[in-house]
Amino acid sequence: MIDPVPCRAPVYRGRFAPSPTGALHAGSLLAAFGSWLLARHAHGEWFVRIEDLDPPREVAGAAAAQLAALDAFGLVSDAPVAKQSERSALYQAALDRLLADGRAFVCHCSRTALAANGGVHRRCVAAQPRPDPAIRLRVPDGTRIAFDDGLQGRIEQDLAGEVGDFVLKRADGCWAYQLAVVVDDAAQGVTDVVRGADLLDSTPRQIFLQRALGLPTPRYLHLPLLLDEAGRKLSKSDAARPVDAADPLPALRAAWRTLGQDETALHDATDTAGLLRAATLAFDPRRLPRTVAIPALQRTT
């Protein structure tokens, strides 16, 4: 388990947190490279964390393969790699606090029971207790969360009406992503969360949970997603072929272009280390594309 955040945290600390559900592909490389570049631009630190909380979805060997690929691309964590599967005690401590404060509650509702309300939990409607209840965070009526995304601008969500009381621990005993990511970001001293725009909708939940736990809220920046020809997120598509760790330069150049950066800055790079040095010097956050999605086919044009 990674040690708690030290007393003197850096001005900027970012992270990349993949789930071990498959190989590193162009979309995940884009998020990793983008977050790494922003951390280096700020003269900060960059961590890698494996979000292995959902065993049914995990692919055997995927975490090791992802880390090996990141290493081949020169994107190496500045601290020991953390694994969420080893951090259950931290999540339980946070959950116990929320239960003791009355902010969290045991819920016996099933998805079927909540379907009539669009899946949004506003009150318990279970006809009878379940042997495997979930635990949810209470979201009071009228709760709205707004924040300024570093790339996407002002985001506001009616958390009570659109999301409702959300799950912290699932009925199958697995920790919910929202709780784990909030606890881990605080424990690791993360100041800046840079990730794909598919998680933009989750951010208000995380901010609300941070406030409930008395934790700091990091700055957020959501990079564009790569989409396939059908408009699906690349990770859910057959087009999500693994990046070639044996030949990292083409994929890094493609990600650089997708991030809106000057292609000529990397022309003289002949190896990974040289490309990363040039990219660090030339990176300009003002050139990042202010959109939530980009067709993957445009990466190489």
Side-chain angles (χ1 to χ4, degrees), residues 62 67 75 78 88 115 125 144 160 162 165 167 170-171 191 202 208 214 225 239 246 268 271 298:
L67 292 174
L75 306 177
D78 293 321
S88 182
V125 296
R144 301 185 69 88
E162 297 177 24
D165 305 321
V167 173
R170 296 178 354 195
T191 63
S202 289
F208 183 72
L225 295 177
D268 295 333
D271 59 22
Q298 293 184 9

Short mmCIF file of all heavy atoms in Angstrom, two decimals, residues 62 67 75 78 88 115 125 144 160 162 165 167 170-171 191 202 208 214 225 239 246 268 271 298:
data_model
loop_
_atom_site.label_atom_id
_atom_site.label_comp_id
_atom_site.label_asym_id
_atom_site.label_seq_id
_atom_site.Cartn_x
_atom_site.Cartn_y
_atom_site.Cartn_z
N ALA A 62 -3.56 -8.07 -17.69
CA ALA A 62 -3.71 -6.76 -18.33
C ALA A 62 -2.94 -5.67 -17.59
O ALA A 62 -2.32 -4.81 -18.22
CB ALA A 62 -5.19 -6.38 -18.43
N LEU A 67 1.44 -1.69 -17.66
CA LEU A 67 2.63 -1.08 -17.06
C LEU A 67 3.86 -1.27 -17.95
O LEU A 67 4.68 -0.36 -18.08
CB LEU A 67 2.88 -1.68 -15.68
CG LEU A 67 1.83 -1.33 -14.62
CD1 LEU A 67 2.10 -2.10 -13.32
CD2 LEU A 67 1.81 0.17 -14.33
N LEU A 75 6.73 6.52 -20.11
CA LEU A 75 5.80 7.16 -19.18
C LEU A 75 5.82 6.37 -17.88
O LEU A 75 5.01 5.48 -17.64
CB LEU A 75 4.39 7.19 -19.79
CG LEU A 75 4.31 7.85 -21.19
CD1 LEU A 75 2.89 7.78 -21.72
CD2 LEU A 75 4.81 9.29 -21.15
N ASP A 78 6.38 8.41 -11.03
CA ASP A 78 7.36 9.02 -10.14
C ASP A 78 7.27 8.47 -8.72
O ASP A 78 8.01 8.91 -7.84
CB ASP A 78 7.17 10.53 -10.10
CG ASP A 78 7.51 11.18 -11.43
OD1 ASP A 78 8.48 10.76 -12.07
OD2 ASP A 78 6.78 12.11 -11.84
N SER A 88 -8.23 -1.50 0.44
CA SER A 88 -9.58 -1.64 0.96
C SER A 88 -9.75 -1.00 2.34
O SER A 88 -10.81 -0.44 2.65
CB SER A 88 -9.95 -3.13 1.03
OG SER A 88 -11.28 -3.29 1.50
N ALA A 115 -36.17 1.35 -11.71
CA ALA A 115 -36.36 1.61 -13.14
C ALA A 115 -37.48 2.62 -13.40
O ALA A 115 -37.39 3.44 -14.31
CB ALA A 115 -36.64 0.30 -13.88
N VAL A 125 -37.22 2.13 -2.23
CA VAL A 125 -38.50 1.60 -2.71
C VAL A 125 -38.51 0.08 -2.69
O VAL A 125 -39.43 -0.53 -3.25
CB VAL A 125 -38.79 2.11 -4.13
CG1 VAL A 125 -38.97 3.62 -4.14
CG2 VAL A 125 -37.68 1.70 -5.11
N ARG A 144 -26.89 20.82 -6.29
CA ARG A 144 -26.28 21.10 -7.60
C ARG A 144 -24.79 21.31 -7.38
O ARG A 144 -24.37 21.93 -6.40
CB ARG A 144 -26.89 22.33 -8.26
CG ARG A 144 -28.40 22.25 -8.48
CD ARG A 144 -28.91 23.46 -9.25
NE ARG A 144 -28.44 23.46 -10.62
CZ ARG A 144 -29.08 22.84 -11.64
NH1 ARG A 144 -30.23 22.20 -11.40
NH2 ARG A 144 -28.59 22.88 -12.85
N ALA A 160 -28.89 15.88 -7.48
CA ALA A 160 -30.05 15.19 -6.89
C ALA A 160 -30.99 14.67 -7.96
O ALA A 160 -31.45 13.53 -7.90
CB ALA A 160 -30.78 16.14 -5.95
N GLU A 162 -30.45 14.34 -11.44
CA GLU A 162 -29.90 13.57 -12.55
C GLU A 162 -29.18 12.29 -12.09
O GLU A 162 -29.11 11.32 -12.84
CB GLU A 162 -28.92 14.43 -13.34
CG GLU A 162 -29.56 15.64 -14.01
CD GLU A 162 -28.54 16.50 -14.73
OE1 GLU A 162 -27.47 15.96 -15.10
OE2 GLU A 162 -28.79 17.70 -14.91
N ASP A 165 -29.03 9.49 -5.06
CA ASP A 165 -28.16 8.86 -4.05
C ASP A 165 -27.32 7.79 -4.74
O ASP A 165 -27.86 6.80 -5.24
CB ASP A 165 -29.00 8.23 -2.94
CG ASP A 165 -29.97 9.23 -2.31
OD1 ASP A 165 -29.58 10.39 -2.12
OD2 ASP A 165 -31.12 8.83 -2.02
N VAL A 167 -24.07 4.96 -5.35
CA VAL A 167 -23.51 3.80 -4.66
C VAL A 167 -22.06 4.05 -4.25
O VAL A 167 -21.25 4.56 -5.04
CB VAL A 167 -23.61 2.55 -5.56
CG1 VAL A 167 -22.86 1.37 -4.94
CG2 VAL A 167 -25.07 2.18 -5.80
N ARG A 170 -20.96 -1.68 -3.67
CA ARG A 170 -21.96 -2.38 -4.46
C ARG A 170 -22.53 -3.57 -3.73
O ARG A 170 -21.97 -4.06 -2.73
CB ARG A 170 -21.33 -2.85 -5.79
CG ARG A 170 -20.89 -1.71 -6.64
CD ARG A 170 -20.22 -2.06 -7.94
NE ARG A 170 -19.93 -3.45 -8.20
CZ ARG A 170 -19.08 -3.86 -9.16
NH1 ARG A 170 -18.44 -2.97 -9.90
NH2 ARG A 170 -18.87 -5.13 -9.37
N ALA A 171 -23.65 -4.05 -4.23
CA ALA A 171 -24.32 -5.20 -3.62
C ALA A 171 -23.47 -6.46 -3.68
O ALA A 171 -23.61 -7.35 -2.84
CB ALA A 171 -25.66 -5.44 -4.31
N THR A 191 -3.16 16.82 -7.01
CA THR A 191 -3.65 18.20 -7.12
C THR A 191 -4.40 18.45 -8.42
O THR A 191 -5.22 19.36 -8.50
CB THR A 191 -2.50 19.20 -7.04
OG1 THR A 191 -1.61 19.00 -8.16
CG2 THR A 191 -1.72 19.05 -5.74
N SER A 202 -18.90 12.13 -14.06
CA SER A 202 -18.65 11.61 -12.71
C SER A 202 -18.08 12.66 -11.77
O SER A 202 -18.16 12.49 -10.54
CB SER A 202 -17.65 10.44 -12.78
OG SER A 202 -18.23 9.30 -13.37
N PHE A 208 -18.79 16.27 -4.66
CA PHE A 208 -19.73 16.20 -3.54
C PHE A 208 -19.23 15.26 -2.46
O PHE A 208 -19.32 15.54 -1.25
CB PHE A 208 -21.10 15.73 -4.06
CG PHE A 208 -22.17 15.69 -3.00
CD1 PHE A 208 -22.71 16.85 -2.47
CD2 PHE A 208 -22.64 14.47 -2.52
CE1 PHE A 208 -23.69 16.81 -1.49
CE2 PHE A 208 -23.61 14.41 -1.54
CZ PHE A 208 -24.15 15.59 -1.02
N GLY A 214 -14.63 15.91 3.84
CA GLY A 214 -13.70 16.95 4.24
C GLY A 214 -12.36 16.87 3.54
O GLY A 214 -11.32 17.23 4.11
N LEU A 225 -12.07 12.41 -26.03
CA LEU A 225 -12.08 10.97 -26.25
C LEU A 225 -11.82 10.68 -27.72
O LEU A 225 -12.19 11.47 -28.59
CB LEU A 225 -13.44 10.38 -25.88
CG LEU A 225 -13.88 10.44 -24.43
CD1 LEU A 225 -15.28 9.88 -24.30
CD2 LEU A 225 -12.91 9.67 -23.55
N ALA A 239 -11.97 -1.25 -32.89
CA ALA A 239 -10.86 -0.44 -33.39
C ALA A 239 -9.81 -0.19 -32.33
O ALA A 239 -8.75 0.37 -32.62
CB ALA A 239 -11.39 0.90 -33.91
N ALA A 246 6.69 -2.08 -29.03
CA ALA A 246 8.00 -2.31 -29.64
C ALA A 246 8.42 -1.16 -30.55
O ALA A 246 9.60 -1.05 -30.89
CB ALA A 246 7.97 -3.63 -30.43
N ASP A 268 12.85 15.82 -35.23
CA ASP A 268 14.22 15.34 -35.12
C ASP A 268 14.39 14.20 -34.10
O ASP A 268 15.50 13.69 -33.94
CB ASP A 268 15.15 16.49 -34.72
CG ASP A 268 15.23 17.57 -35.80
OD1 ASP A 268 15.02 17.23 -36.98
OD2 ASP A 268 15.47 18.74 -35.45
N ASP A 271 14.41 8.57 -30.94
CA ASP A 271 14.13 7.54 -29.94
C ASP A 271 13.12 8.10 -28.93
O ASP A 271 12.80 9.30 -28.95
CB ASP A 271 15.40 7.05 -29.26
CG ASP A 271 16.18 8.16 -28.56
OD1 ASP A 271 15.58 9.22 -28.24
OD2 ASP A 271 17.39 8.00 -28.33
N GLN A 298 -8.96 10.60 -37.42
CA GLN A 298 -8.29 11.87 -37.64
C GLN A 298 -6.93 11.93 -36.97
O GLN A 298 -6.17 12.88 -37.15
CB GLN A 298 -9.15 13.03 -37.11
CG GLN A 298 -10.44 13.23 -37.90
CD GLN A 298 -11.21 14.44 -37.43
OE1 GLN A 298 -10.74 15.23 -36.62
NE2 GLN A 298 -12.43 14.57 -37.93
#
